[in-house]
Amino acid sequence: MKDILLNGDWDIALTEDGDISLVTSPVQEVLIKLKWFFEEWVFDPSKGIPWYEEVLVKNPDIDGIRKRLIREMLDVDDVLEVPRLDITVDTKTRQALVKFAMRTSEGTYEEEVVLHG
């Protein structure tokens, strides 16, 4: 799927001429999916990860969350496998760290996402 290229600060990346670039990047698409909070999108509130409802809580079901995140990631075109996905939740600060490796036809990528409650 084509998407607007984002920079490291999750802002729209602009060329030297001030134009946007389109990219097909399963890595960017997965990172966007993982940062997408449940009910955040006004056009389809059923989309997103239930971070507040299921993850950033006192006793999160880490195994269930891991399975859900892997399903979401495998739903992205060109993601072939998620051989590693680690979740660390700090219930006091309501933060989660998700580290993962995923394999696409282009190669294997290791990424991480930090979520703040």
Side-chain angles (χ1 to χ4, degrees):
M1 174 168 95
K2 290 235 183 232
D3 201 359
I4 295 172
L5 179 63
L6 301 178
N7 64 22
D9 294 326
W10 291 95
D11 201 358
I12 295 173
L14 299 176
T15 66
E16 288 183 16
D17 297 328
D19 293 328
I20 63 170
S21 298
L22 296 180
V23 65
T24 299
S25 170
V27 175
Q28 179 173 298
E29 190 173 343
V30 164
L31 292 172
I32 288 170
K33 267 191 145 185
L34 293 181
K35 288 179 167 271
W36 195 348
F37 281 75
F38 180 65
E39 295 185 333
E40 178 180 31
W41 193 34
V42 69
F43 298 111
D44 190 349
S46 70
K47 301 286 186 187
I49 307 293
W51 292 111
Y52 291 128
E53 297 80 4
E54 296 179 15
V55 182
L56 302 172
V57 296
K58 278 190 179 181
N59 297 308
D61 175 11
I62 298 296
D63 191 48
I65 296 160
R66 181 180 293 110
K67 289 176 184 173
R68 172 156 188 178
L69 295 181
I70 289 172
R71 272 195 321 270
E72 292 282 343
M73 294 167 74
L74 291 172
D75 192 41
V76 172
D77 289 342
D78 202 31
V79 174
L80 306 172
E81 180 184 23
V82 181
R84 182 179 58 78
L85 189 140
D86 300 314
I87 304 168
T88 305
V89 177
D90 184 335
T91 57
K92 290 182 182 179
T93 61
R94 290 181 46 112
Q95 292 186 349
L97 172 64
V98 180
K99 292 184 178 184
F100 62 92
M102 66 179 207
R103 190 171 61 82
T104 71
S105 62
E106 300 283 319
T108 300
Y109 301 90
E110 294 198 16
E111 299 287 339
E112 67 179 47
V113 172
V114 179
L115 294 140
H116 307 279

